[in-house]
Amino acid sequence: MIVLASKSSGRLATLRAAGIEPQVAVSEVDERAVEQQVRSAQPDCGPQVVVQALALAKAQAVAHQLGRSGLAGWRYVVGCDSMLLIDGQLVGKPASADDAVERWRSMRGRSATLFTGHAVIALSPTKGYSPDSPQAQGVSRAVINFAEVSDKEIAAYVASGEPMYCAGAFTIDGLGGAFIESIEGDPHGVVGLSLPLLRRLLAQLGVTWTDLWQS
């Protein structure tokens, strides 16, 4: 069984559309604290390192939680985290509505790169979770080409509340989809979970993707 360590409706919908019905367990990881720890240890680290560390922290938190209870079979905990790189700055969810407005004013008509870290941890039905539990990790990336949206459109979009819960203050699978001109790279990664990458990571752990499809 797949366990999605995320409350993201986009990630859940992506898995369901791909024929997989996961268990959902929210990690409650302090993302800012994890990012600060990573940057303190590696001041010059790239965006891939940051999103990968966050994805792993989420997967580990849920793995610890599930590992304390009896497991009826193997569980594969999937943790993900996305951040947007623009003007050399790596940004996550906006801190406020004003922040979201300024983000969009700086992004419109331009391109930025979204990085999404993925971590999968295998939980044994007999051992649960341990530091040597099998795991696989990877990062997807996609270039987002934003539309030349007006101030009125930005104000309405931010007022909808949608960008407040999204890395980079945008979505492609919701109201923000009309403001994305094109994508170069994996479109699923832009929603927050790359299906091709997840398939490869699970294969590293001995899982065949089609075996996960719901009958």
Side-chain angles (χ1 to χ4, degrees), residues 109-121:
R110 302 179 61 202
S111 299
T113 304
L114 187 78
F115 292 88
T116 300
H118 298 65
V120 184
I121 298 175

Side-chain angles (χ1 to χ4, degrees), residues 133-151:
S133 292
Q135 61 180 260
Q137 302 180 49
V139 177
S140 71
R141 59 179 290 169
V143 176
I144 318 298
N145 300 307
F146 294 100
E148 192 67 73
V149 293
S150 67
D151 284 349

Side-chain angles (χ1 to χ4, degrees), residues 17-172:
I20 297 172
E21 185 64 41
Q23 175 185 348
V24 175
V26 181
S27 68
E28 304 295 351
V29 163
D30 186 337
E31 297 180 23
R32 181 163 296 184
V34 173
E35 183 179 355
Q36 289 175 344
Q37 289 172 1
V38 172
R39 294 190 181 282
S40 176
Q42 304 180 59
D44 299 322
C45 67
Q48 296 95 328
V49 174
V50 176
V51 296
Q52 190 61 78
L54 285 162
L56 182 58
K58 292 176 180 180
Q60 287 176 330
V62 169
H64 273 292
Q65 173 187 332
L66 294 178
R68 291 195 295 268
S69 59
L71 300 176
W74 281 90
R75 297 287 189 275
Y76 298 90
V77 181
V78 178
C80 299
D81 190 84
S82 300
M83 297 187 80
L84 187 74
L85 183 67
I86 184 167
D87 293 330
Q89 182 180 7
L90 195 61
V91 297
K93 301 179 183 69
S96 64
D98 288 343
D99 184 27
V101 168
E102 289 307 311
R103 286 261 192 99
W104 266 97
R105 286 177 176 170
S106 69
M107 295 189 307
R108 60 184 169 189
R110 302 179 61 202
S111 299
T113 304
L114 187 78
F115 292 88
T116 300
H118 298 65
V120 184
I121 298 175
L123 302 184
S124 162
T126 55
K127 297 181 180 179
Y129 175 71
S130 69
D132 18 341
S133 292
Q135 61 180 260
Q137 302 180 49
V139 177
S140 71
R141 59 179 290 169
V143 176
I144 318 298
N145 300 307
F146 294 100
E148 192 67 73
V149 293
S150 67
D151 284 349
K152 181 178 180 180
E153 288 173 314
I154 291 173
Y157 184 44
V158 172
S160 76
E162 182 180 271
M164 304 308 299
Y165 306 100
C166 309
F170 76 95
T171 65
I172 192 173

